[in-house]
Amino acid sequence: MDINQIKHIAVIGSGAMGSQIAMVCALAGYQVTLQDINEKSLVKAKQSLKGHMKRRVEKGRLSQVQVTSAFDRIHFESLLEEAVKNADYVIEAIVENLEAKRVLYAEVDRLAPAHTIIASNSSTIVSSKMADATCRPDKICNMHFFNPALVMELVEVVQGPHTSEETAQITFELAKRINKVPILLKTEITGFVANRILGKLMDEAIYLLENGVATAEEIDLACTKALNHPIGPFALIDLTGIDVHYYVRMQRYQESGDENMKPSRVVTELFEKGDLGRKTGKGFYTYS
């Protein structure tokens, strides 16, 4: 398949990442279907995207014509079959659960055209863990966006041992065509590049917090005011979701058997209380 054959992109999962990935693709001129089995999630995604786009128009970053045209290119769909039946490229952005992903990949493989590439937005679960659930392992890879996908430029494309060179190159080129800056990893490794580096910083930040060296606010200030990071580690965990952080660490623990990979005490406590960050109004910080 050639990059120019990609006309229709399906994004599976309408959470914060999936919905924004869909808009990024639509703004770049692609026909997009955003699918989620939860229709309330689709309604919420549409409302959220309208808010994001309104602010961009108000700030002069986009014209109203661009926004209207992008929304005209996005279809919101609850049925997986309808979402992928004409898709040339599928981006999976569902919950970080391996079994759920494997079930989805088998279904997409059955329903989508033979030429369709299926990419995972996950940075925790490498695509080789889903590839054998399909009859097209050569067309499976990771295409990892960063949160918020409308803003962050980098996309990590990961070519697993099963991924064809054609699939890797098409994905790399697609990232550029949706106005992202891609890097291509030729080796699968959990966490890829950016999140492995970020993980070390977060581990140290949590160590300092749990040992009473400094508060979450003070540690975030050290990162933003001394290291010039745009956001501190605890504010970032709240933004991406404490549940996401928890599941990522549990996945790494299950893969490695290393007790040090388990979610930290403070993250586990917040997760069990249901304080998941911005999405619930409370995490390391409280949000109005």
Side-chain angles (χ1 to χ4, degrees):
M1 186 170 70
D2 181 80
I3 181 65
N4 295 315
Q5 291 177 260
I6 296 177
K7 307 293 185 183
H8 190 148
I9 298 172
V11 180
I12 312 301
S14 65
M17 286 301 295
S19 60
Q20 291 197 24
I21 291 169
M23 180 55 76
V24 165
C25 295
L27 284 168
Y30 287 97
Q31 292 295 321
V32 180
T33 301
L34 178 62
Q35 188 272 339
D36 200 299
I37 56 174
N38 187 334
E39 294 195 11
K40 289 183 179 179
S41 181
L42 287 171
V43 171
K44 183 179 178 182
K46 190 171 186 178
Q47 291 172 338
S48 176
L49 288 174
K50 284 182 177 179
H52 285 301
M53 293 301 100
K54 181 182 178 182
R55 288 189 289 275
R56 279 163 174 72
V57 170
E58 289 171 348
K59 293 178 180 179
R61 294 175 183 171
L62 292 171
S63 69
Q64 187 58 55
V65 171
Q66 287 176 298
V67 169
T68 301
S69 296
F71 272 111
D72 287 343
R73 287 189 287 269
I74 298 180
H75 179 63
F76 296 82
E77 177 60 62
S78 61
L79 296 176
L80 182 64
E81 180 177 4
E82 291 298 313
V84 304
K85 68 180 183 182
N86 296 315
D88 303 302
Y89 202 102
V90 174
I91 301 172
E92 169 267 309
I94 69 167
V95 64
E96 289 293 88
N97 178 284
L98 177 57
E99 190 51 42
K101 289 183 188 292
R102 286 181 61 84
V103 169
L104 174 67
Y105 276 64
E107 278 295 283
V108 174
D109 182 54
R110 182 176 66 84
L111 297 169
H115 69 272
T116 305
I117 292 171
I118 311 170
S120 177
N121 180 56
S122 177
S123 68
T124 308
I125 302 175
V126 292
S127 67
S128 59
K129 293 185 178 295
M130 289 85 76
D132 66 347
T134 76
C135 296
R136 62 181 90 196
D138 60 310
K139 297 185 184 298
I140 310 296
C141 67
N142 285 86
M143 186 184 193
H144 177 233
F145 294 75
F146 290 83
N147 191 18
L150 281 165
V151 176
M152 303 298 284
E153 293 183 89
L154 189 72
V155 167
E156 294 172 317
V157 177
V158 186
Q159 182 176 2
H162 54 283
T163 309
S164 70
E165 185 67 26
E166 177 183 273
T167 294
Q169 291 302 322
I170 287 174
T171 303
F172 189 85
E173 180 61 29
L174 177 61
K176 290 197 289 185
R177 293 197 178 192
I178 60 174
N179 301 306
K180 297 300 182 184
V181 179
I183 60 173
L184 177 58
L185 282 65
K186 293 282 191 175
T187 301
E188 282 191 335
I189 183 169
T190 300
F192 309 152
V193 173
N195 280 346
R196 289 182 71 88
I197 295 170
L198 178 62
K200 297 299 183 184
L201 183 145
M202 284 185 170
D203 285 349
E204 187 62 27
I206 289 171
Y207 172 85
L208 294 170
L209 176 66
E210 290 189 335
N211 284 275
V213 175
T215 65
E217 293 88 343
E218 290 168 331
I219 295 165
D220 278 0
L221 280 171
C223 290
T224 57
K225 301 302 182 184
L227 304 181
N228 205 29
H229 293 185
I231 188 172
F234 295 108
L236 181 58
I237 294 173
D238 274 359
L239 176 64
T240 57
I242 285 164
D243 53 336
V244 173
H245 183 85
Y246 177 87
Y247 289 132
V248 165
R249 296 308 297 251
M250 283 301 294
Q251 180 70 29
R252 291 184 185 175
Y253 164 64
Q254 290 163 0
E255 285 182 354
S256 66
D258 183 353
E259 291 284 331
N260 293 322
M261 290 291 101
K262 278 186 172 181
S264 66
R265 172 181 53 80
V266 65
V267 166
T268 300
E269 288 174 357
L270 288 169
F271 174 80
E272 291 178 346
K273 286 193 294 184
D275 294 336
L276 307 181
R278 285 181 179 267
K279 68 179 75 177
T280 61
K282 187 176 181 183
F284 288 103
Y285 296 90
T286 299
Y287 303 89
S288 59

